[in-house]
Amino acid sequence: MIKKITLIFAICFMSQLAIGQKSRGDRFFEKGDYINAAKYYEIALEKERHKKDLENLAECFYNTFQYRLASRNLKQLVQGRFGEKDKNYNNQYNFKLYQMLSALGDYEAALEYLKLYKENNSASLDIAESIETIETFKLKSPDYKVEKVQFNSEASEFGAVKFGDSVYFTSDRGVNQLFGKTYKWTHQPFLDLYVTAVDEKNDTIGQVKALPKTINSKYHEGNFCFSKDGNTLYISKSNIVEGKREFNEAKTNNIHLYKSIKENGKWSTPEKLAFNKNGFSYQHPALNPKGDKLYFSSNIEGGCGSFDLYYVALNEDEIGEPVNLGTTINTENREHFPFISEEGHLFFASNGHLGLGMLDNFVSELVDGSFTTPTNLGVPINSQYDDFSITYYNENEGFFASNRNKKDDNIFQFKQSGEIFIREYINTFEIRDAVTKEYIPNAKVVLNDRRKAELYSNILDETSFFNMNLLADNYELKAESEGYYPKALQVEVLEKQDQKHVLYLKQIPPPPPLPIVVIDPVEAIIAEKKIDKKLKEEDPTRFALLTDVDGPPVVEKEGKLYFQLEPIYFDFGTWNIRADSKKILDALSAKLERYPNIYLKISAHTDSRGTAKYNQILSERRAESTRNYIALEGFINARRLSFKGFGELVPIVPCPMLNCTEEEHQLNRRSEFEIIKY
């Protein structure tokens, strides 16, 4: 009996402990201390799987950027793996699971949840088209070169602004807060503003210093911007009234916008801008070049959802009311960190527009006074993690922040090297005789885009040419005329004006005076390759590949299919695609485009000079370089292309003691193209 009573007491005690732990988790959660809240929710969920605990635990991991743990708990939530009978859940968790899976690189699974999220909001999403768009962001030729700046620390840094020979930025490094308060969300010191003198490479000269206490308080000071003369500072700060933080009904201390003026070299006490209202946050200020508009991010009522971008007009005597930038820019999710370039273009961060993962950097061009549909800046400015707070300090150089190191935010500097806006370029197309180079009259032409959609079709007159404005991309021009062989030309439209593309047609020779025996080229190939004609019925695709005379031929070796290409040579010790090999890979890409179900394995081999480890790495880079060229320049979906480097392990010509001629070494430096699926 005593044992039973003891057991009952133990059970009751453990139940009370679980209840206490659960309520403690709630208390930490309500204070924004997600790190401690998660510990108690995990304990509580081991006892009873309550839906609310699972929701809050997923939120804790989401808010502390623990992507794998967040995705695991979000999956359990959306799959109904909790005790309550009602398995419904808030649609926002579909969006958050999409973000977490994207951050983990699983885009196909992520987009399933984005599609569900949009359908629940009466919208739609084409997953295949979205994947292709994301791959474009990842594989397009980079418009930027980036590197991490020297003045990062072990803490978080973001929001860098260069003014003169100094860089100002935001950080929670807490230089002067050794025994100060910490922010419950991150368990780090509150954010402050810092400055460091830099050289022409943005390397630190001297020490990083915190701005004076007039600007930095014991609470948050976040993103900021200067007026052009540097004497006015707009800054995001914790909402403070009479020296104390003001909390809203949800017990949250919002962020508001403040203004400080520099007089006689000293900053005045920041004053809150009049349009701030308690209960909402106003943050990330940015001035336009004229200085008459202040842009910012806010979650005030009446927006598109979550945080939107707004601006207020700045006059000498008064500040206007917030104006929402509208649905071209804003989504039902988050838009943050606006920046207006000298040309008036809007750069900002968003997780609502389709991107690579969490926050991505976007740009919207200013055209006739309005902002255009945003363009994702792509890799390397963006990654699958948070990328944000992009600013320029001259025409093509600036800073942005990212947590792509999977820990804290770091500041990166960049140099823009390409055109970032989508534009149409003037292109002229001509049809000429291959021998005389004269125009071919009455030629019938068709221009298709790379998806085979027809853009232009016509029968030209005596002067066979036409003009079109086209986006930078790959196209196909087909032409035919009486007395000429029809032909197609693969066209690459580049980011420049006044391009001309000439398609030369060969005349059909007159018939011979005496009848000749015409050999069917397919029959000749069947005989040459000893192909069983039954293959045409048993495996029609394999038969078509083996007998296709257009482009690189396909051959069979030991039951496997390979493209028989001229050698893809590499110079000794390099992995760059040589000019003589680009034409070969272009022809291969054209054939792969005609067979969209082919999946290819690219194998790269080196000669035996150098160490085995060096040759292995070199072959892997050559294989990857070959794959990237076919994907980027040939516009072949990268998911169809795998690659592997074999180093010196599989030579064509064995070279014991390196006893080979240069020609034999060249044979061993090769690439092979195996068809692994069709």
Side-chain angles (χ1 to χ4, degrees):
M1 184 67 180
I2 292 176
K3 289 183 178 180
K4 290 185 178 179
I5 293 173
T6 303
L7 180 61
I8 292 170
F9 177 81
I11 294 172
C12 291
F13 176 78
M14 291 176 67
S15 299
Q16 290 299 317
L17 181 62
I19 292 171
Q21 288 166 340
K22 177 185 176 183
S23 62
R24 188 174 296 180
D26 289 340
R27 290 198 295 271
F28 278 118
F29 187 85
E30 289 170 1
K31 293 177 181 178
D33 189 344
Y34 301 114
I35 294 174
N36 281 321
K39 298 175 184 177
Y40 290 100
Y41 284 132
E42 286 185 303
I43 295 172
L45 285 165
E46 289 179 0
K47 307 296 181 182
E48 292 184 83
R49 295 191 60 78
H50 286 295
K51 175 177 160 183
K52 187 61 179 176
D53 288 349
L54 187 57
E55 288 177 342
N56 288 356
L57 180 60
E59 290 278 6
C60 288
F61 291 136
Y62 176 88
N63 289 331
T64 53
F65 310 108
Q66 299 183 69
Y67 306 116
R68 200 167 298 281
L69 290 172
S71 67
R72 182 187 305 165
N73 286 276
L74 285 167
K75 281 183 181 178
Q76 293 178 7
L77 177 62
V78 302
Q79 292 168 2
R81 293 166 61 184
F82 46 81
E84 285 80 358
K85 291 183 179 180
D86 182 3
K87 301 301 180 183
N88 290 318
Y89 59 91
N90 193 304
N91 192 33
Q92 66 170 323
Y93 295 115
N94 286 318
F95 183 79
K96 290 183 176 181
L97 184 50
Y98 148 72
Q99 286 185 288
M100 294 297 98
L101 291 172
S102 294
L104 294 171
D106 191 355
Y107 291 105
E108 294 195 25
L111 289 169
E112 293 287 349
Y113 290 100
L114 180 59
K115 180 179 181 181
L116 181 59
Y117 170 78
K118 287 187 171 292
E119 288 175 346
N120 288 337
N121 286 336
S122 302
S124 61
L125 178 77
D126 187 319
I127 291 180
E129 183 178 316
S130 298
I131 290 175
E132 186 174 348
T133 301
I134 291 170
E135 288 179 345
T136 301
F137 299 156
K138 293 166 65 178
L139 293 173
K140 75 173 188 175
S141 298
D143 296 319
Y144 293 90
K145 293 181 179 179
V146 307
E147 61 178 332
K148 193 182 295 185
V149 299
Q150 186 190 61
F151 49 85
N152 286 300
S153 72
E154 295 293 324
S156 287
E157 281 83 25
F158 60 92
V161 173
K162 191 169 186 178
F163 195 88
D165 59 358
S166 296
V167 175
Y168 297 77
F169 60 93
T170 303
S171 176
D172 62 3
R173 60 180 64 190
V175 173
N176 299 320
Q177 299 185 22
L178 183 60
F179 301 105
K181 292 178 176 289
T182 59
Y183 184 36
K184 290 184 174 63
W185 189 323
T186 62
H187 288 197
Q188 291 290 109
F190 283 84
L191 295 168
D192 276 337
L193 304 191
Y194 293 83
V195 61
T196 180
V198 295
D199 59 19
E200 66 278 1
K201 295 181 180 179
N202 291 322
D203 289 338
T204 304
I205 301 175
Q207 294 182 336
V208 174
K209 298 179 181 179
L211 264 62
K213 292 183 178 180
T214 308
I215 300 298
N216 286 331
S217 69
K218 59 184 178 180
Y219 301 114
H220 281 313
E221 280 72 41
N223 264 59
F224 58 92
C225 68
F226 291 101
S227 60
K228 277 200 171 183
D229 61 10
N231 292 326
T232 302
L233 174 67
Y234 293 93
I235 180 173
S236 308
K237 288 173 60 71
S238 294
N239 178 21
I240 297 176
V241 176
E242 296 181 354
K244 295 183 178 180
R245 286 187 294 173
E246 183 177 23
F247 293 87
N248 60 20
E249 294 179 356
K251 300 180 180 179
T252 299
N253 176 226
N254 296 121
I255 301 297
H256 282 184
L257 292 177
Y258 289 74
K259 175 182 177 180
S260 177
I261 305 295
K262 182 186 284 187
E263 295 178 345
N264 299 321
K266 294 184 178 181
W267 291 106
S268 65
T269 300
E271 294 185 1
K272 189 186 301 186
L273 300 182
F275 57 81
N276 289 281
K277 295 179 182 178
N278 190 31
F280 306 103
S281 282
Y282 305 77
Q283 54 198 28
H284 312 151
L287 284 167
N288 68 338
K290 291 183 179 180
D292 59 2
K293 286 183 180 179
L294 180 69
Y295 291 78
F296 57 91
S297 175
S298 178
N299 61 350
I300 56 179
E301 290 179 322
C304 300
S306 189
F307 278 83
D308 284 0
L309 298 187
Y310 294 80
Y311 75 86
V312 291
L314 300 179
N315 300 314
E316 291 185 5
D317 299 325
E318 60 181 12
I319 298 178
E321 289 299 313
V323 177
N324 190 291
L325 294 190
T327 55
T328 299
I329 301 301
N330 293 316
T331 68
E332 57 195 1
N333 295 294
R334 291 191 294 147
E335 279 68 48
H336 288 313
F337 302 98
F339 171 79
I340 309 297
S341 70
E342 285 298 316
E343 298 77 22
H345 308 315
L346 169 66
F347 293 80
F348 65 99
S350 172
N351 68 359
H353 296 282
L354 188 64
L356 292 171
M358 304 293 286
L359 285 171
D360 270 9
N361 288 301
F362 292 82
V363 62
S364 180
E365 188 176 12
L366 182 67
V367 178
D368 297 330
S370 299
F371 292 123
T372 59
T373 300
T375 298
N376 188 298
L377 293 180
V379 172
I381 286 287
N382 292 322
S383 68
Q384 62 205 61
Y385 304 105
D386 277 326
D387 305 282
F388 57 99
S389 74
I390 188 169
T391 64
Y392 282 74
Y393 57 82
N394 61 34
E395 186 177 348
N396 60 2
E397 293 178 297
F399 301 103
F400 72 98
S402 176
N403 67 345
R404 61 187 62 181
N405 64 353
K406 304 181 184 178
K407 292 183 180 179
D408 299 308
D409 299 321
N410 286 130
I411 294 170
F412 292 76
Q413 61 183 345
F414 67 80
K415 185 169 184 178
Q416 182 183 326
S417 56
E419 174 63 63
I420 61 175
F421 294 113
I422 298 175
R423 302 189 186 284
E424 290 187 337
Y425 299 91
I426 301 171
N427 284 262
T428 299
F429 298 90
E430 299 179 351
I431 314 301
R432 293 180 178 269
D433 186 288
V435 176
T436 67
K437 312 304 181 188
E438 298 294 329
Y439 286 117
I440 298 175
N442 306 317
K444 180 181 179 181
V445 296
V446 177
L447 181 66
N448 295 326
D449 66 15
R450 62 187 175 96
R451 296 183 178 85
K452 305 302 182 184
E454 185 178 295
L455 303 178
Y456 179 83
S457 178
N458 197 9
I459 297 176
L460 305 177
D461 55 19
E462 294 294 319
T463 307
S464 290
F465 79 92
F466 65 97
N467 295 322
M468 280 201 74
N469 291 340
L470 296 170
L471 299 173
D473 206 340
N474 279 27
Y475 301 85
E476 182 183 59
L477 174 65
K478 295 180 179 179
E480 59 182 65
S481 184
E482 186 176 354
Y484 288 85
Y485 291 112
K487 190 177 179 182
L489 176 67
Q490 302 303 315
V491 175
E492 181 182 8
V493 173
L494 305 173
E495 292 181 343
K496 63 180 183 180
Q497 299 291 332
D498 302 328
Q499 297 171 73
K500 184 169 72 172
H501 314 278
V502 182
L503 176 52
Y504 294 102
L505 299 184
K506 290 183 179 180
Q507 280 191 322
I508 300 173
L514 296 174
I516 60 173
V517 177
V518 178
I519 299 176
D520 186 339
V522 174
E523 290 295 327
I525 290 175
I526 291 173
E528 179 186 344
K529 296 183 178 181
K530 299 180 181 179
I531 299 172
D532 190 341
K533 291 187 176 182
K534 293 180 181 178
L535 185 64
K536 186 172 185 179
E537 295 180 0
E538 295 170 353
D539 194 342
T541 303
R542 192 181 191 91
F543 180 86
L545 286 169
L546 288 167
T547 58
D548 190 345
V549 298
D550 189 9
V554 174
V555 297
E556 186 171 5
K557 300 177 185 177
E558 298 179 352
K560 298 179 180 179
L561 296 183
Y562 294 82
F563 280 104
Q564 190 177 55
L565 277 72
E566 295 178 37
I568 306 300
Y569 289 134
F570 297 89
D571 292 325
F572 177 71
T574 72
W575 57 87
N576 295 325
I577 303 297
R578 290 184 0 182
D580 55 351
S581 294
K582 289 182 179 181
K583 294 181 180 179
I584 299 169
L585 293 179
D586 290 342
L588 174 60
S589 299
K591 192 152 187 173
L592 288 173
E593 195 168 357
R594 291 195 291 111
Y595 290 92
N597 294 323
I598 283 181
Y599 283 70
L600 202 61
K601 177 184 176 183
I602 303 167
S603 302
H605 306 265
T606 68
D607 58 36
S608 56
R609 291 176 290 185
T611 67
K613 181 178 180 181
Y614 171 83
N615 287 333
Q616 180 62 35
I617 295 172
L618 182 60
S619 66
E620 290 170 357
R621 290 181 175 174
R622 286 175 174 175
E624 184 178 11
S625 178
T626 304
R627 188 283 305 266
N628 288 346
Y629 182 88
I630 296 172
L632 293 169
E633 303 298 329
F635 290 88
I636 300 302
N637 192 315
R639 291 182 299 159
R640 296 170 55 192
L641 307 171
S642 61
F643 63 91
K644 186 174 182 180
F646 289 89
E648 61 186 63
L649 297 177
V650 192
I652 292 177
V653 182
C655 296
M657 305 300 293
L658 300 179
N659 187 22
C660 271
T661 65
E662 180 56 36
E663 290 75 15
E664 291 170 331
H665 282 306
Q666 181 73 82
L667 286 173
N668 288 334
R669 295 197 302 270
R670 69 196 189 279
S671 296
E672 296 173 334
F673 301 83
E674 180 186 353
I675 298 172
I676 58 175
K677 182 181 175 183
Y678 57 84

